[in-house]
Amino acid sequence: MLKFSKRMIVACLGSLLAFGAAEAADWPQRPVTVVVSQAAGSSPDVLARIITDKLSRTLGQQFIVENRPGAGNVVGTQSVARANADGYTFLFGTSAALVTNPFTVKSLSYDPAKDFIAVSKVARSHLLLLVNPKIAANNLTELLALEKEAPGTLSIAVDGPRNISGLIAQSINKQSGSKFVLVPYNNINNAVQDSITGRTPVTIQSASVVEAFIKDGSLRPIAVAGNQRVPSLPDVPSISENFKDIDLQGWFMVMAPAGTPVAIVDSMSKAIARALAEPDVLARAPTLGFEIESGDIVTPAGAKAYLDAQLVSTGKVIHSLGMEPN
């Protein structure tokens, strides 16, 4: 049996650390791909392009956004899980891909906890519960009262029963005893238009999608998903003010394939933190419905802790609905 002295082990570790540091110092030497698992123009795509533009400028190589939508975020997310762990492919991951799919998709082809390294949680995308202006409700309590006057007559436009908007609607039904009818839409724009016309008078949408319609009065926000109010809509209560256990919200996290050198992950995280702190990013993000993150949650350790906690809390919500993967 080979025997190694403490000095030899320390020397080997020192060599590995030096190699990792040198590798990070040389990175990136060519363009870097950032995969977005949704279509161009979607909320994650818009934010990813803002951040990658900053990364291209500060790191001296082009950061290319590659849209790979399909199968409810599975196509793009899976592609990064199987990519080379060399620091030249990253995922701009959504909460749907990372903490919803593991509980709703049967035989999921990736494991968020094992196939990826968390790099940085970059932002929250606020989901809003909105109503057609003809609906006489200014908050969730009033909307629930209207629904109970004629159970099963009010419909909510969602992007699918197993996506976050659908899970929020189902959770409201379960916890309140209401009977809102969920109407799934493959196309978000169609959902929004049907809510504006009153065909499906209630909807749950990303703030970035409906900002213009809120401003012109076509839709009225009455609640914010998650456990916090939105700074840009301070008078709109959070859903958790009615139901504390409904803490579902959209958020974005940059991930690297498992095995990506730690030094490169750290370099990427620090570059992202600098990008997020840029005044123009901080100024523009709220107008698009995003809340930029800062502090420990932008670091790999902080992002991983958040991901782990979200996997637990989201799993509890989905299990409470009796939902099985399919």
Side-chain angles (χ1 to χ4, degrees):
M1 180 182 294
L2 292 174
K3 293 184 178 180
F4 298 94
S5 69
K6 185 181 292 185
R7 181 177 297 176
M8 291 173 64
I9 293 173
V10 171
C12 288
L13 289 174
S15 296
L16 288 172
L17 289 172
F19 176 77
E23 193 171 18
D26 293 337
W27 175 88
Q29 294 183 321
R30 53 187 171 86
V32 178
T33 298
V34 178
V35 175
V36 173
S37 59
Q38 294 189 17
S42 61
S43 292
D45 175 73
V46 171
L47 184 58
R49 292 179 188 277
I50 292 172
I51 294 172
T52 53
D53 179 65
K54 294 292 185 182
L55 296 177
S56 297
R57 295 170 186 269
T58 59
L59 293 175
Q61 287 287 350
Q62 189 174 7
F63 279 69
I64 303 168
V65 172
E66 180 179 311
N67 297 97
R68 300 197 67 174
N73 294 284
V74 172
V75 173
T77 307
Q78 172 186 278
S79 72
V80 179
R82 297 177 178 177
N84 290 332
D86 56 5
Y88 289 92
T89 305
F90 291 88
L91 173 71
F92 198 84
T94 65
S95 51
L98 297 173
V99 299
T100 303
N101 281 355
F103 300 102
T104 60
V105 178
K106 191 174 184 179
S107 302
L108 189 64
S109 54
Y110 61 85
D111 184 332
K114 295 180 180 179
D115 294 335
F116 296 96
I117 298 174
V119 178
S120 178
K121 180 172 183 272
V122 297
R124 280 172 278 175
S125 175
H126 295 294
L127 289 167
L128 305 177
L129 178 65
L130 307 110
V131 296
N132 180 284
K134 293 182 180 179
I135 298 295
N138 294 302
N139 53 54
L140 182 53
T141 299
E142 293 178 359
L143 182 65
L144 291 171
L146 280 179
E147 194 283 328
K148 289 183 178 179
E149 289 177 5
T153 61
L154 281 176
S155 57
I156 300 182
V158 298
D159 59 353
R162 292 174 176 267
N163 294 337
I164 291 180
S165 63
L167 294 173
I168 291 170
Q170 291 181 77
S171 295
I172 291 173
N173 273 346
K174 181 176 178 61
Q175 293 204 30
S176 68
S178 56
K179 296 181 180 179
F180 290 104
V181 178
L182 274 67
V183 181
Y185 284 79
N186 291 326
N187 187 302
I188 290 175
N189 292 330
N190 291 342
V192 172
Q193 287 303 316
D194 278 358
S195 293
I196 290 173
T197 61
R199 182 177 180 183
T200 46
V202 186
T203 189
I204 299 173
Q205 298 292 341
S206 169
S208 60
V209 172
V210 294
E211 180 194 11
F213 304 112
I214 293 173
K215 288 182 177 179
D216 69 14
S218 299
L219 292 171
R220 181 169 65 249
I222 63 169
V224 180
N227 56 13
Q228 296 179 356
R229 296 193 180 197
V230 178
S232 58
L233 297 168
D235 296 328
V236 179
S238 70
I239 289 177
S240 64
E241 291 176 39
N242 287 82
F243 306 107
K244 65 179 181 179
D245 293 329
I246 306 180
D247 183 14
L248 294 167
Q249 57 186 293
W251 47 262
F252 308 113
M253 185 178 291
V254 176
M255 308 288 283
T260 300
V262 173
I264 290 178
V265 170
D266 287 339
S267 293
M268 178 68 159
S269 178
K270 290 174 182 176
I272 290 172
R274 291 195 297 270
L276 297 178
E278 291 278 352
D280 59 328
V281 174
L282 292 172
R284 187 180 178 193
T287 68
L288 298 171
F290 304 123
E291 187 173 345
I292 296 297
E293 299 287 9
S294 61
D296 183 65
I297 205 165
V298 179
T299 69
K304 181 183 185 303
Y306 182 84
L307 176 63
D308 291 344
Q310 283 286 295
L311 282 166
V312 172
S313 62
T314 302
K316 286 181 178 178
V317 171
I318 293 173
H319 291 316
S320 74
L321 297 173
M323 187 176 292
E324 297 292 333
N326 68 5

